[in-house]
Amino acid sequence: MAKVIEGLYYSESHEFVRVEGDFGFVGITDYAQDALGTVVYVDMPDVDDEVEAGEEFGAVESTKAASDLISPVSGTVVEVNEALDDQPELINQDAFENWIIKVELSDKADLDNLMDATAYAAFCEK
């Protein structure tokens, strides 16, 4: 069973959001990194780019496949995880610690469309 953390928000496309104040840290879930296999490249937006809930913001490439990253929230990118440029495999080591982008949230109502840990765990078991 993939690791699921309480207190985060989850999308059906296997991204998570950890909310801290007006900011959301977005990454892929443990389930997603496990399904992808060894991550070899992360395509990230630039700082100050706008992301829209439900829209693509980048991609993760692994030895098995490439997968689009779909933003679970809308807002402005204020930081990207530059460590992933040189060490994309950090996502495999701990997907939840190694977020991909930090977004200043433009509408916290986006979070209402996401799953909590219990719902996401059940979704992954299907």
Side-chain angles (χ1 to χ4, degrees):
M1 174 68 195
K3 182 166 123 181
V4 178
I5 297 179
E6 290 290 333
L8 304 182
Y9 297 89
Y10 298 89
S11 70
E12 289 188 1
S13 53
H14 304 287
E15 286 86 12
F16 72 86
V17 183
R18 182 178 78 236
V19 176
E20 293 182 8
D22 293 329
F23 299 95
F25 294 83
V26 178
I28 66 170
T29 65
D30 189 54
Y31 180 93
Q33 73 77 23
D34 187 56
L36 280 167
T38 304
V39 176
V40 294
Y41 178 72
V42 183
D43 179 36
M44 297 177 274
D46 295 319
V47 170
D48 294 330
D49 281 2
E50 296 291 321
V51 293
E52 288 292 324
E55 300 289 319
E56 182 185 333
F57 72 86
V60 174
E61 293 178 21
S62 73
T63 53
K64 286 193 220 172
S67 181
D68 290 337
L69 294 166
I70 308 299
S71 186
V73 292
S74 299
T76 304
V77 177
V78 294
E79 189 178 344
V80 297
N81 187 346
E82 292 177 1
L84 299 177
D85 284 338
D86 296 326
Q87 295 180 286
E89 69 279 2
L90 288 170
I91 288 177
N92 296 116
Q93 293 168 18
D94 190 334
F96 293 112
E97 279 302 309
N98 292 290
W99 50 271
I100 297 171
I101 58 173
K102 179 179 177 183
V103 176
E104 185 170 7
L105 303 171
S106 59
D107 188 357
K108 285 192 176 176
D110 289 339
L111 301 171
D112 298 339
N113 300 320
L114 301 173
M115 293 176 271
D116 65 11
T118 304
Y120 181 69
F123 176 76
C124 289
E125 286 176 10
K126 288 182 186 170

